[in-house]
């Protein structure tokens, strides 16, 4: 029995060693880190003065490089208001007092309550206590031993990708006009199917605004630019309903609301977009410049007024 | 607690270590407690059912033990049958029969208003019910003495490795082993662990991966053409086999670690040369149970009939019951009946086929005849499998009807590839799955031909063995589908 236990322990030890080596190699591959935007949350700076949350509309709309304030983009593809809140809670220590929080609001923001498909991403950077329905098995699978769920990405163990900037900061691409039409139509249909009147989302947004207020931060609601190809699929009454909802919330929580969805500096200017509702790198820089100039001036004016 | 869960990964080593650290006479207490904990991890309340079943059969056994005459023992047998089958009916079949009656009543414009119960099916109820029934029937027949120790009997009913999906053990083989003192046997333990690992490979790497395709296609069969339905049906045969035999391997391997031998449940069934042979290789514990407690008694009961009618009736009834045992659904009953028809036809055509072979000068065991028989048997298994997997009889007919459609697309390489990838699995998934199936088949063929086995592996140098073990474990870890999917047979 002693011999068996000794051999068994040695076997286990070597096995753990081999597996750890493979897992570690995978975790540190550029491919894995690029795909998860790990860098983004590894190096969140301290004393953030302005930041945004949100989904891909957030990732693709705000850059803080030319701002005299320390800014940070916390948005993540398809991230809903609830996860916006969790991300802020995770990194709340990194904010300066009175920081400004930009909350992008668009039609799809109110439809993405089901995050089950990408819940696992948040295991990478949220602490366990913040994760909805935290499950130890998922924590092991996604956080500690991601190689278990690598699938075809196992190739990175042999051929690693090049190190690259996170996706949200590197895309410089213009969609062909014909494709733009098609994509716009499809997206508009998706948005309409989802609708923006989802009660759960509105409650989540309310919770987020309350949290921001309780932290002593200032919130700004923004509807980021989209193309006319997308806008044409929404009726005036649909847009009005949306506008009324957001303006109502802005008033209730005493926050500013900026709507660029039909701004003529963007709506018909295809050079700023990579697809129907996402800005490209140049568009992002241009929008950020305009938005920060206009909003921060207003914000200061409002502060002075108070 | 699924075998393929972290919970089990922690549970099993603890149970093993404490088991061997406990004096042999007390081990049953530890195993019984562990088995009840294992069962309660699904739905704590259902432990009452298993305890109740245990008590009923224990007392029925003792009662029968006091009776010298068979007639005296009969009332205990009926009591046990009524309670066990009654519970099974209530939890598993009541809603099915209720729904069937409601349908029949609506056809005849009759009013029928009994409520449906909507009870949650207790995991493994069909398995432990059949296991306890075999004990009661054996005691009734005088084939064994009743078990006087309630603890050992309770452990016989609930022994956790085989509790929820078999193998359905007989009391004469399992009870004496539960009573015996098992000293630690390193070779036995390592063989058990290896068999468990092989079971995990089948379940996590093959069955759970294949499930992605099967679920997609059978979820909306109308959206797929003939070759896709055929591929999904073939893959389903592997899913079912790897899921269930994988479970059995883990159960048998796990029991081995405790020094207990469970019966073989699968013996490379896809190498069967006829459906009758298939049933001596597939779910052996159920088919032998049905043979001993249903077919043989039926053949005796129907003694007055002509031999051929007796045979046909006994086979058809046994396999219909087998279908019904699998699930309270028309699809399972039809599946069982198809198996019965296959066997009856096989039996009836045997003289003709023998004559034909003799006329053509083909010997019984030439390789090409075996190959044709194996392929033909496998095709028959797959066709019946359509009813096993389809969500309804209508879906099964739809699959059968569409099997011949859309094959021409296979000559258009790119289009075929696009359609293949629309079946719920990506290219990587297909490559891994196919490679794993080929690997499993090679190993199994080698086992069938006795080229390799556990003793063969044990005779290899340590570097060879350990490399093989590590490669198998790494294959499971890296290529397994870690979604924690249930075992198919848990629903039965």
């Amino acid at each position: 029995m002693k011999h068996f236990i000794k051999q068994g322990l040695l076997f286990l030890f070597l096995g753990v060693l081999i597996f750890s080596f493979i897992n570690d190699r995978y975790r540190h591959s550029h491919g894995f880190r690029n795909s998860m935007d790990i860098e983004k949350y590894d190096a969140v700076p301290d004393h953030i003065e302005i930041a945004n949350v949100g989904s891909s509309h957030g990732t693709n709309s705000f850059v803080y490089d030319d701002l005299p304030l320390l800014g940070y983009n916390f948005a993540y593809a398809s991230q809903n208001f609830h996860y916006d809140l969790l991300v802020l809670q995770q990194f709340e220590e990194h904010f300066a007092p009175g920081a400004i929080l930009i909350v992008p609001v668009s039609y799809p923001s109110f439809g993405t309550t089901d995050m089950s498909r990408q819940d696992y991403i948040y295991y990478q950077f949220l602490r366990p206590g913040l994760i909805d329905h935290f499950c130890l098995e998922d924590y092991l699978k996604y956080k500690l031993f991601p190689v278990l769920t690598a699938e075809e990405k196992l190739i990175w163990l042999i051929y690693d990708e090049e190190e690259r900037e996170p996706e949200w900061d590197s895309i410089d691409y213009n969609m062909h006009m014909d494709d733009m039409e098609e994509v716009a139509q499809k997206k508009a249909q998706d948005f309409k199917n989802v609708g923006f009147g989802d009660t759960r989302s509105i409650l989540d947004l309310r919770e987020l605004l309350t949290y921001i207020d309780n932290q002593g931060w200032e919130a700004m609601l923004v509807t980021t630019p989209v193309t006319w190809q997308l806008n044409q699929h929404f009726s005036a009454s649909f847009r009005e309903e949306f506008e009324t909802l957001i303006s109502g919330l802005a008033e209730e929580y005493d926050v500013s609301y900026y709507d660029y969805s039909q701004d003529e500096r963007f709506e018909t200017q295809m050079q700023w977009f990579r697809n129907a509702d996402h800005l490209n790198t140049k568009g992002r820089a241009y929008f950020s410049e305009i938005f920060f100039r206009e909003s921060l001036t207003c914000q200061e004016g409002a502060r002075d007024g108070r | 607690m699924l075998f393929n869960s972290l919970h089990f990964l922690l549970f099993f080593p603890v149970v093993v270590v404490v088991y061997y650290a406990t004096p042999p006479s007390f081990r049953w207490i530890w195993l019984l407690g562990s088995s009840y904990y294992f069962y309660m991890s699904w739905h704590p309340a259902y432990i009452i059912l298993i305890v109740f079943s245990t008590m009923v059969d224990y007392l029925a056994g003792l009662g029968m033990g006091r009776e010298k005459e068979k007639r005296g023992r009969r009332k205990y047998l009926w009591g046990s049958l009524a309670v066990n089958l009654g519970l099974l009916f209530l939890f598993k079949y009541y809603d099915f029969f209720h729904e069937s009656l409601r349908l029949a009543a609506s056809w005849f414009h009759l009013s029928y208003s009994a409520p449906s119960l909507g009870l949650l099916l207790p995991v493994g109820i069909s398995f432990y019910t059949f296991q306890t029934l075999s004990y009661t029937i054996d005691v009734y027949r005088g084939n064994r003495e009743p078990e006087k120790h309630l603890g050992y009997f309770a452990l016989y009913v609930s022994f956790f490795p085989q509790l929820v999906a078999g193998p359905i053990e007989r009391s004469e083989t399992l009870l004496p082993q539960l009573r015996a003192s098992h000293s630690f046997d390193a070779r036995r333990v390592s063989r058990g662990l290896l068999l468990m690992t092989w079971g995990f490979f089948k379940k996590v790497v093959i069955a759970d991966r294949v499930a992605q395709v099967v679920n997609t296609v059978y979820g909306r069969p109308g959206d797929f053409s003939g070759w896709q339905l055929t591929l999904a049906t073939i893959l389903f045969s592997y899913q079912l086999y790897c899921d269930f035999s994988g479970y059995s391997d883990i159960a048998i391997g796990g029991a081995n670690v405790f020094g207990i031998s469970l019966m073989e449940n699968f013996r490379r069934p896809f190498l069967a040369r006829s459906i009758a042979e298939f049933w001596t290789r597939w779910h052996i514990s159920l088919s032998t149970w049905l043979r001993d407690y249903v077919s043989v008694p039926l053949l005796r009961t129907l003694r007055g009939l002509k031999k051929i009618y007796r045979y046909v009736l006994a086979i058809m009834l046994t396999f219909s019951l087998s279908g019904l045992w699998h699930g309270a659904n028309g699809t399972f009953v039809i599946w069982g009946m198809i198996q019965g028809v296959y066997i009856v036809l096989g039996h009836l055509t045997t003289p003709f086929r023998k004559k034909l072979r003799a006329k053509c000068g083909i010997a019984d065991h030439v390789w090409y005849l075996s190959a044709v028989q194996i392929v033909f048997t496998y095709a028959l298994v797959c066709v019946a499998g359509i009813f096993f997997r389809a969500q309804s009889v209508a879906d099964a007919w739809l699959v059968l009807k569409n099997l011949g459609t859309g094959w021409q697309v296979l000559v258009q390489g790119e289009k075929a590839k696009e359609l293949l990838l629309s079946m719920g699995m990506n290219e990587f998934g297909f490559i891994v799955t196919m490679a794993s199936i080929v690997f499993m088949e090679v190993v199994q063929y080698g086992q069938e031909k006795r080229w390799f086995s556990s003793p063969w592996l044990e005779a290899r140098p340590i570097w060879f063995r350990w490399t093989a073990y590590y490669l198998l474990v790494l294959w499971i870890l890296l290529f397994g589908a870690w979604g924690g999917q249930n075992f198919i047979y848990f629903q039965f």
Side-chain angles (χ1 to χ4, degrees):
Chain A
M1 192 175 193
K2 260 188 191 168
H3 178 68
F4 178 84
I5 293 173
K6 268 188 203 167
Q7 264 206 347
L9 287 176
L10 180 64
F11 180 82
L12 209 64
F13 174 73
L14 285 177
V16 168
L17 218 63
I18 295 168
F19 180 69
S20 302
F21 170 75
I22 295 172
N23 186 57
D24 218 45
R25 201 176 148 82
Y26 176 74
R27 267 165 66 120
H28 290 99
S29 67
H30 298 313
F32 175 71
R33 297 182 74 80
N34 289 341
S35 72
M36 291 285 179
D37 271 1
I38 297 280
E39 316 285 352
K40 180 170 170 174
Y41 301 99
D42 266 1
V44 175
D46 286 330
H47 303 292
I48 296 169
E49 294 165 286
I50 184 165
N52 70 278
V53 283
S55 61
S56 56
H57 292 163
T59 57
N60 288 287
S61 300
F62 304 101
V63 275
Y64 300 95
D65 297 349
D66 298 330
L67 217 56
L69 301 170
L70 179 60
Y72 206 72
N73 193 324
F74 284 101
Y76 204 100
S78 299
Q79 183 163 284
N80 62 14
F81 296 128
H82 176 61
Y83 273 92
D84 284 343
L85 174 64
L86 299 183
V87 169
L88 289 181
Q89 285 175 338
Q90 166 85 11
F91 296 106
E92 61 188 15
E93 301 292 323
H94 294 254
F95 283 83
I100 296 168
L101 247 303
I102 304 162
V103 180
V105 282
S106 55
Y107 314 137
S109 319
F110 291 87
T112 43
T113 48
D114 178 20
M115 296 285 284
S116 51
R117 271 189 313 140
Q118 61 176 63
D119 259 349
Y120 72 91
I121 292 167
Y122 293 95
Y123 276 86
Q124 295 300 330
F125 50 84
L126 288 186
R127 59 178 180 269
L130 284 175
I131 294 169
D132 287 340
H133 316 295
F134 176 80
C135 163
L136 183 61
E137 285 186 24
D138 285 345
Y139 185 73
L140 293 174
K141 265 191 307 193
Y142 299 127
K143 174 72 177 175
L144 297 185
F145 308 116
V147 75
L148 291 176
T149 49
E151 293 280 297
E152 65 274 22
K153 294 169 198 155
L154 281 171
I155 194 73
W156 293 334
L157 288 169
I158 308 161
Y159 298 110
D160 197 4
E161 274 185 1
E162 289 293 306
E163 191 168 5
R164 64 168 162 81
E165 288 292 302
E167 189 186 3
W168 52 279
D169 221 20
S170 66
I171 291 172
D172 185 7
Y173 167 73
N174 251 156
M175 187 173 266
H176 191 274
M177 287 302 282
D178 296 343
D179 295 339
M180 187 85 94
E181 279 284 350
E182 197 181 314
V183 170
Q185 194 171 357
K186 193 183 168 306
K187 286 208 165 188
Q189 195 51 52
D190 288 348
F191 296 169
K192 283 177 189 167
N193 289 343
V194 169
F196 59 80
D198 183 82
T199 324
R200 165 80 198 276
S201 303
I202 295 168
L203 289 175
D204 287 345
L205 177 57
R206 284 176 180 280
E207 206 181 335
L208 176 65
L209 292 173
T210 307
Y211 169 79
I212 292 172
D213 188 44
N214 289 343
Q215 293 295 116
W217 304 334
E218 279 187 52
M220 287 197 284
L221 298 173
V222 187
T223 303
T224 53
V226 294
T227 59
W228 65 269
Q229 283 98 330
L230 185 71
N231 276 331
Q232 67 179 345
H233 294 287
F234 296 99
S235 65
S237 63
F238 185 88
R239 286 203 294 262
E240 200 183 311
E241 201 183 331
F242 181 74
E243 163 82 27
T244 310
L245 174 77
I246 305 299
S247 303
L249 283 168
E251 204 178 313
E252 188 183 333
Y253 286 87
D254 191 22
V255 298
S256 348
Y257 172 46
Y258 302 90
D259 182 4
Y260 289 90
S261 62
Q262 291 176 86
D263 192 305
E264 57 192 21
R265 288 169 292 183
F266 295 95
E267 196 186 16
T268 54
Q269 307 300 313
M270 292 304 109
Q271 72 271 25
W272 304 131
F273 289 91
R274 70 177 171 100
N275 63 24
D277 60 333
H278 292 109
L279 295 163
N280 60 25
T281 310
K282 287 178 207 145
R284 191 151 55 236
Y286 180 56
F287 171 68
S288 297
E289 185 196 327
I290 289 177
F291 170 69
F292 290 131
R293 193 172 61 233
E294 293 174 355
S295 63
L296 294 180
T297 314
C298 289
Q299 205 82 351
E300 275 167 24
R303 271 184 201 156
D304 293 345
R306 275 180 221 154
Chain B
M1 186 192 318
L2 294 173
F3 281 166
N4 51 332
S5 67
L6 181 66
H7 198 169
F8 185 77
L9 197 70
L10 300 173
F11 167 83
F12 186 71
V14 171
V15 177
V16 173
V17 169
V18 176
Y19 174 80
Y20 281 110
T22 307
S25 51
F26 294 108
R27 282 178 183 167
W28 68 267
I29 302 173
W30 173 246
L31 273 187
L32 182 63
S34 306
S35 298
Y36 280 169
Y37 171 79
F38 178 82
Y39 195 68
M40 286 167 75
S41 68
W42 269 284
H43 204 298
Y46 283 154
I47 195 70
I48 297 166
L49 276 181
I50 211 166
V51 171
F52 180 63
S53 252
T54 303
M55 287 310 295
V56 166
D57 287 291
Y58 173 71
L59 294 174
L62 289 185
M64 284 192 271
R66 284 194 296 270
E67 302 285 343
K68 285 203 173 72
E69 294 298 315
K70 225 176 177 181
R71 187 176 292 178
R73 296 199 289 265
R74 197 164 291 161
K75 57 179 183 285
Y76 294 104
L77 174 71
W78 283 114
S80 164
L81 286 175
V83 171
N84 283 300
L85 295 178
L87 284 175
L88 191 61
F89 178 82
L90 189 73
F91 282 91
K92 188 167 177 175
Y93 300 107
Y94 175 82
D95 281 350
F96 170 63
F97 280 100
H98 160 75
E99 192 53 32
S100 307
L101 279 176
R102 198 188 56 74
L103 252 166
S106 73
W107 281 343
F108 294 108
H109 306 290
L110 296 170
S111 75
Y112 175 78
S113 58
S116 65
L117 298 176
L119 292 170
L120 189 68
L121 182 68
V123 176
I125 188 168
S126 310
F127 287 91
Y128 71 71
T129 301
F130 270 36
Q131 187 154 310
T132 55
L133 281 181
S134 73
Y135 163 81
T136 318
I137 297 169
D138 283 349
V139 175
Y140 167 76
R141 286 175 177 172
N143 292 347
R144 65 152 297 128
E145 286 297 307
E147 175 58 56
K148 295 199 170 65
H149 193 292
L150 177 61
Y152 285 122
F153 183 73
L155 184 55
Y156 160 70
V157 178
S158 63
F159 183 47
F160 79 86
Q162 46 89 240
L163 170 59
V164 289
I168 303 166
E169 283 295 324
R170 303 299 174 83
S171 55
E172 75 260 23
T173 53
L174 187 54
L175 266 167
Q177 294 192 74
L178 296 174
R179 280 181 164 280
S181 151
H182 302 280
S183 53
F184 184 86
D185 178 349
R187 179 166 292 184
R188 199 185 169 99
V189 170
S190 47
R191 278 184 192 177
L193 292 174
L194 182 60
L195 189 57
M196 289 177 86
T197 313
W198 184 240
F200 282 117
F201 169 77
K202 285 181 182 173
K203 166 66 179 162
V204 182
V205 182
I206 302 179
D208 287 354
R209 274 194 177 278
V210 162
Q212 298 161 7
V213 174
V214 177
N215 294 345
T216 304
V217 175
Y218 274 86
R220 40 191 176 87
D223 293 354
F224 296 92
S225 56
W227 69 270
Q228 290 171 302
L229 294 168
T230 306
L231 179 61
T233 303
I234 290 171
L235 288 178
F236 173 62
S237 69
Y238 276 97
Q239 183 197 356
L240 190 62
Y241 169 66
C242 291
D243 194 282
F244 194 18
S245 74
Y247 177 90
S248 296
D249 288 346
I250 299 168
I252 296 167
N256 254 329
V257 173
F258 296 109
I260 291 163
S261 299
L262 299 181
M263 71 182 291
E264 189 181 27
N265 215 15
F266 289 86
R267 204 168 44 237
R268 300 166 283 283
F270 297 152
L271 292 176
R273 295 168 56 186
S274 68
I275 293 293
E277 188 192 345
F278 175 81
W279 280 102
T280 63
R281 290 166 169 265
W282 178 278
H283 202 174
I284 299 167
S285 65
L286 177 70
S287 48
T288 49
W289 195 100
L290 290 170
R291 180 197 63 202
D292 295 346
Y293 301 108
V294 181
S295 304
V296 174
L298 259 176
L299 284 170
R300 258 188 238 128
T301 311
L302 302 169
R303 225 171 305 176
L305 288 175
K306 219 173 153 189
K307 198 177 168 188
I308 186 66
Y309 296 142
R310 217 160 29 122
Y311 176 79
V312 171
L313 212 58
I315 290 292
M316 290 309 294
L317 280 172
T318 305
F319 276 96
S320 303
L321 181 72
S322 163
L324 198 61
W325 177 89
H326 279 86
N329 193 327
T331 50
F332 290 117
V333 179
I334 294 176
W335 170 79
M337 289 168 82
I338 293 174
Q339 300 291 344
V341 170
Y342 284 163
I343 292 195
V344 167
L345 286 179
H347 181 73
L348 294 179
T349 57
T350 302
F352 168 73
R353 284 183 287 131
K354 266 192 176 165
K355 266 188 204 163
L356 190 69
R357 278 203 300 274
K359 230 178 189 177
C360 301
I362 300 171
D364 264 356
H365 289 282
V366 287
W367 70 267
Y368 51 87
L369 178 66
S370 296
V372 170
Q373 286 172 325
I374 287 169
V375 171
F376 188 65
T377 304
Y378 177 67
L380 291 178
V381 168
C382 285
V383 171
I386 292 172
F387 284 90
F388 197 99
R389 178 57 184 84
Q391 285 166 353
S392 64
V393 178
D395 270 7
W397 282 121
L398 183 71
V399 173
L400 278 173
K401 210 172 71 186
N402 289 349
L403 277 181
T405 63
W407 287 84
Q408 65 280 7
V409 83
L410 286 180
V411 293
Q412 305 165 27
E414 275 306 303
K415 180 75 183 156
K417 188 178 168 189
E418 190 188 310
L419 288 172
L420 182 73
L421 298 180
S422 72
M423 292 171 69
M425 195 185 267
N426 60 17
E427 224 169 332
F428 173 83
F430 272 111
I431 293 168
V432 168
T433 307
M434 293 306 162
S436 304
I437 288 176
V438 168
F439 173 63
M440 179 189 72
E441 287 294 8
V442 168
V443 171
Q444 294 196 144
Y445 190 72
Q447 286 173 334
E448 179 83 7
K449 294 284 172 193
R450 299 185 191 284
W451 293 336
F452 31 76
S453 57
S454 289
W456 175 84
L457 195 60
E458 282 156 13
R460 303 300 105 197
I462 192 165
W463 67 264
F464 181 91
R465 275 183 289 136
W466 282 30
T467 307
Y469 299 154
Y470 281 136
L471 285 175
L472 182 62
V473 172
L474 279 178
W475 194 314
I476 297 169
L477 290 174
L478 300 183
F479 300 126
W482 294 104
Q485 293 185 48
N486 240 326
F487 286 85
I488 294 175
Y489 266 68
F490 279 19
Q491 62 182 304
F492 306 141

